[in-house]
Structures are given as structure tokens and as C-alpha cells.
Amino acid sequence: MTRYIRRAAALCLVLLVALMVNAVRVQVVEADRLDANPANRRTVLARYAEPRGDILVEGRPVTGSADTGQPLRYERTYTDGPLYAPVTGHASQTYGTTLVEDAEDAILSGTSPRLSALPLFAGLDPGRRPGGHVATTIRAALQRAAYEGLAGRRGAVVALDPSSGRVLALVSSPSYDPGVLSGTGGPVAAAWARLNTAPGRPMLNRALRETYPPGSTFKIVTAAAALDAGVVTNVHAPSGTPDPYRLPGTRTLLPNEAKGCDDASLAYAIRWSCNTVLARLGVEVGLSRMVRTARAFGFNDPDLRVPSRVAPSNFDTDMSPDRLALSAIGQYDTRATPLQMAMVAAAVAGGGEVAHPYLVESVTTAGGGLVGRTPRRTYAQAMTPSTARRLRELMVDVVERGSGSNAGIDGAEVGGKTGTAQHGVGNQGTPYAWFIGWARAAGAPRPAVAVAVVVEDAAARREEISGGGSAAPIARAVMEAALEADRRRGKDDGRQGLS
């Protein structure tokens, strides 16, 4: 009898070990595969069982969560959805997440181990943590000024703090309400189909994901390269460039829209946007130096994040001198996002240094405990401080005496550069109107804001479309909002100091 008991006990032990091995296999070895299995509803149900954390603008939530009472209980809601959609993106139970909703999804959904009191042991915590909050760098007044300035026209606006790299405004137009995509079912599918087939492509983030020929705004990059290389030592000296200018190795003549460009100085060429002078300077600087300077400003960087992904801006690294001449004036294959051109303006305003742009100021737990803060980082030194100083003077001249007069602000120093970019087959498309610039309040130690504006469908006759006429007024409104916000902040700081 004892022998049979021993055999039964041994069999039970083997079965127990088998059960333990199988539990380890299911819980550890195959856990990720089972979690990712579309048939496993537990992960999805758990994801939407609690409210999602909020995205904040100046401390105010621009998102929320609504209790639907359905199995996927909480749906995302948006305050001023179209205004902030280029920042927040959408969080859809059907179509996933985009932009900040995607980049900070682990914080917002409560799955990030950083939300645990003991992050290294977060995996041992059986409960699900409440979603944390994400504070953005966006300033509400600047965002609204940019949004209302575009007024539904196709285009984009980006405003940066040149000193820190904070993204102060990020607008893409036309926009959409991400709340219509939050849930499930027929209405959500219909909204998705409608938005994806709309001629204005409202779900395209033109500020971060669309690249355009930057036109004459790129001349600031070429001028920086020429000054740093010593190709130009006196910005007021005649350049010796004929009008028109024959592209090297070809019979093609490059004309100017502006008058007085024959033998014009660099200062005059920037003021009135002479193609010939800057095209020739690009050739004289040479391909390797032009590529190096463009890269320092941010071109050809496929890894740029803010934290949302940014489409890489392009400056060709292998081309003939005639194509280099066209690329140096923002044509041929040169393409840039509005964020990239805002970085160009910010580099000039910031003394030649490009601060890494960022959109998330900090993340916190649901209770407000600080989880992390985005530090200021240097992206690159795009030019020497002396070159930046000379370019600031030239850009101020553009606004005070040249093509950018519509960007001027009483009582402030404003620098800018206009651009009109040809595109399409045979350059027959409606030109893109560009303006980049920066503004400094009187008596302030440094510029408060740098901005880039592009308008795809400027409301004017084709021959009258210009960055100065279509884009500069929008930039001025955004810069005025930035200066006013700084003025109010200074007053508030003064009152607190006296209290």
C-alpha cells in the first residue's frame, strides 16, 4: 500500500510541476504575445476603464474624458478641439493615437512605470495607476492669434521661444475636431472617412509633417553660410552679381522680381529679396559648406522630435552648381517644414545657437506630483554670434525699409524675411507665401518670440501673392500676442515682488 501512495504522490508532484511550468509559460514567456493578441479584450477594456490624463495649456486642460457607460467606458473629449488638434492629435478607441496623445500615451493612459512611487518595481504593482497629465509649452493667446490669422486657409504657423526652444504656438489649417474620432461605431467611421477625403486634408499636420519649398526665407541660411565662410565681409559692398544671373554651366538666366538688384549688396538683396545675389553666393560658398550650414539649422535630420515626429526638411547633399544656385534661394529640391523655418528665425534671434524645440514642458501624476520636466538643450550652433548679429540687423532692415513692412510693431524691434515659393509643374501652382521673423520688446535683453508662417492658398491674384502681403500680417499678430503676454507676465512678477 505504501508503494502505491508513493507513486500517487510522485504523480501529483509531477502534475504540480507541470502546472507551475505552464503558468510560467503563460504569465512570463508568452505574456507579451497574449497581450498583443487581437482576441484578448482585457487589455483594451482595462485601457478605457479609467479616465485618461489631461493635456494642459497654461495649466488649463484642453482634453477630458466622458463616461459612456459602455464596455469601453471612457472616451476622449476635447475643449477647442480644432484650435489645439495640431498639438494634441487624437486619442481614438478605433483609430489609435497621434501627436502628443501618442508621444505621451504611456503617461496619459497610466501605463508608464514613471507614474509609480517606485518606478523600478512598478511591474510588481498589480493595480492600474491613474493617467498622468502632460503640460505643454503652448501659449493660448499666441495659438489663437495664429489660428484666427490663418482663418481656415491652408497653411501653418509655428512660434518658438528663441532662448529655450519652447514651442509657443503650433497651428495647422484647416483643422478638425479630434473628438469626433474618440469612440467606436458608424458615426466615428463616417467622420474618419470624411476627414481623410476632405480636399483641405485637415488631419495633415502642416506645421510638423508637411514640407514646402521655403523660397526666399531660405536666403537667411545662405547669408549665414556666406558670412561665416568669409565670402562676404561687408554686407553693404556691391556684390558684382549681374541681373539676370546665368546659372553656372547652363544658358539659363535667373531673373529678379525686385528692382535694383544689379550689382546689389547683400544688405539690399536681403531687404528686397534679390534672387541673383543669393544664388551666386550659394555657389561661391560651395556645396559642402552650404550642406554643413543647412544641417546646423536642422535640415536633413530624420530624428527630430518635439516629442511628436517631425518630417525631415531637405537640402540636397549632391548636386551640380546650377542646382546649388537654385537650392540656395529655397527652390529646386530644398524643402522645409514651418517648424524648421521657425528654427532658422530663432537661431538668428538667439545669437546663432539653435535651441532644441520642445512641446512638452512637464508631466505629472494625477495628483500633481512632478514626474519629469523637459530640460533646455542646445541643438546646434548654426552660425557665429557676430554673423547672427549682422543678420538681425539685415532682418530689421527688411521690416523697417523693405518687403516685410507689414510685420512691423510699434514700440518693438522686429526682424523678418519674406518669401514667395514657386512650385508645381512649370511653377504653375499658386505660390506659397512665407514669412519668418522675430520680435523684441523695447528695452528687453533678448527677442521674446520667433515665428514662421506659410500660406498655401493666399487670397490674392497670383502675381500679387507675397510673403509680405499674405503671411507677414499673421506673423505680426502672433508676435504682438507674445510681447503682450510677456508684458503682462512682467507686471504680475512685479506685483508679487511688492507683496
Side-chain angles (χ1 to χ4, degrees):
M1 176 66 78
T2 303
R3 182 176 57 184
Y4 293 116
I5 292 174
R6 287 174 179 172
R7 288 178 179 176
L11 177 61
C12 289
L13 179 61
V14 169
L15 292 175
L16 179 61
V17 170
L19 286 172
M20 293 176 64
V21 169
N22 188 60
V24 171
R25 179 184 66 82
V26 172
Q27 297 291 333
V28 179
V29 178
E30 297 190 16
D32 291 341
R33 183 180 66 82
L34 293 172
D35 281 344
N37 192 316
N40 181 8
R41 295 272 292 167
R42 291 184 177 181
T43 302
V44 176
L45 291 173
R47 177 180 176 85
Y48 298 108
E50 299 292 337
R52 190 170 172 84
D54 284 324
I55 298 173
L56 313 177
V57 171
E58 293 185 318
R60 181 177 67 87
V62 296
T63 60
S65 296
D67 189 345
T68 66
Q70 302 298 314
L72 301 182
R73 184 170 173 181
Y74 285 94
E75 289 182 5
R76 195 56 146 168
T77 61
Y78 295 87
T79 303
D80 291 324
L83 175 63
Y84 292 110
V87 176
T88 63
H90 61 69
S92 171
Q93 295 175 348
T94 306
Y95 300 107
T97 54
T98 59
L99 301 174
V100 169
E101 292 275 31
D102 181 65
E104 299 293 346
D105 181 65
I107 292 290
L108 295 166
S109 64
T111 60
S112 173
R114 298 167 65 197
L115 296 172
S116 173
L118 298 171
L120 293 178
F121 301 96
L124 303 178
D125 183 1
R128 187 182 184 88
R129 293 167 290 277
H133 302 313
V134 175
T136 70
T137 57
I138 295 295
R139 300 262 189 90
L142 278 68
Q143 185 78 2
R144 188 165 294 279
Y147 182 78
E148 293 178 352
L150 284 169
R153 290 175 292 174
R154 291 193 301 273
V157 179
V158 177
L160 300 175
D161 178 344
S163 300
S164 65
R166 291 183 178 91
V167 180
L168 305 179
L170 185 75
V171 170
S172 176
S173 178
S175 189
Y176 72 105
D177 182 0
V180 301
L181 302 176
S182 293
T184 60
V188 172
W192 177 264
R194 183 181 71 254
L195 290 171
N196 277 285
T197 56
R201 299 190 296 167
M203 293 181 68
L204 171 65
N205 191 317
R206 290 171 162 87
L208 300 179
R209 303 283 173 81
E210 184 72 310
T211 60
Y212 303 86
S216 293
T217 58
F218 188 82
K219 292 172 181 174
I220 297 300
V221 177
T222 301
L227 288 166
D228 270 356
V231 173
V232 175
T233 56
N234 181 354
V235 297
H236 300 289
S239 65
T241 308
D243 181 12
Y245 167 65
R246 185 169 64 84
L247 297 179
T250 75
R251 296 181 179 179
T252 302
L253 296 177
L254 179 67
N256 290 294
E257 295 291 336
K259 305 297 183 183
C261 292
D262 185 46
D263 195 26
S265 66
L266 177 60
Y268 186 92
I270 293 293
R271 183 192 309 155
W272 294 111
S273 211
C274 297
N275 290 331
T276 51
V277 175
L278 275 300
R280 182 181 177 185
L281 279 180
V283 174
E284 292 183 357
V285 169
L287 179 60
S288 61
R289 283 177 173 169
M290 283 295 300
V291 169
R292 188 162 59 247
T293 299
R295 280 179 174 161
F297 277 101
F299 284 80
N300 300 337
D301 183 356
D303 299 320
L304 184 61
R305 302 287 187 275
V306 291
S308 305
R309 181 183 65 83
V310 180
S313 298
N314 180 71
F315 187 82
D316 281 359
T317 59
D318 184 12
M319 51 184 155
S320 58
D322 58 314
R323 292 175 175 176
L324 176 58
L326 294 176
S327 297
I329 59 172
Q331 296 290 164
Y332 186 56
D333 284 340
T334 303
R335 297 187 69 86
T337 62
L339 173 67
Q340 172 61 77
M341 296 315 297
M343 291 169 67
V344 171
V348 177
E353 180 191 21
V354 183
H356 198 293
Y358 63 97
L359 187 54
V360 171
E361 187 74 66
S362 62
V363 294
T364 65
T365 64
L370 182 65
V371 173
R373 186 180 298 276
T374 304
R376 184 201 184 280
R377 291 186 292 153
T378 295
Y379 180 84
Q381 186 71 34
M383 68 194 103
T384 64
S386 60
T387 290
R389 184 174 62 254
R390 281 186 281 185
L391 286 178
R392 282 198 301 272
E393 294 169 355
L394 297 185
M395 291 179 76
V396 168
D397 189 52
V398 169
V399 174
E400 294 184 350
R401 301 172 56 198
S403 59
S405 58
N406 283 336
I409 300 173
D410 290 342
E413 181 183 58
V414 178
K417 184 69 190 79
T418 59
T420 306
Q422 308 292 334
H423 69 101
V425 178
N427 289 336
Q428 292 304 304
T430 301
Y432 298 140
W434 276 95
F435 183 87
I436 64 172
W438 48 268
R440 181 176 68 89
R446 61 183 65 89
V449 63
V451 65
V453 178
V454 63
V455 181
E456 292 184 28
D457 51 348
R461 290 188 302 171
R462 188 179 191 280
E463 62 272 16
E464 294 177 352
I465 293 173
S466 69
S470 302
I474 301 172
R476 180 185 65 229
V478 175
M479 291 187 291
E480 285 177 331
L483 295 175
E484 177 62 18
D486 273 11
R487 186 184 66 82
R488 290 181 178 177
R489 186 175 296 105
K491 282 189 174 182
D492 291 341
D493 292 344
R495 292 192 190 100
Q496 290 175 8
L498 293 173
S499 62

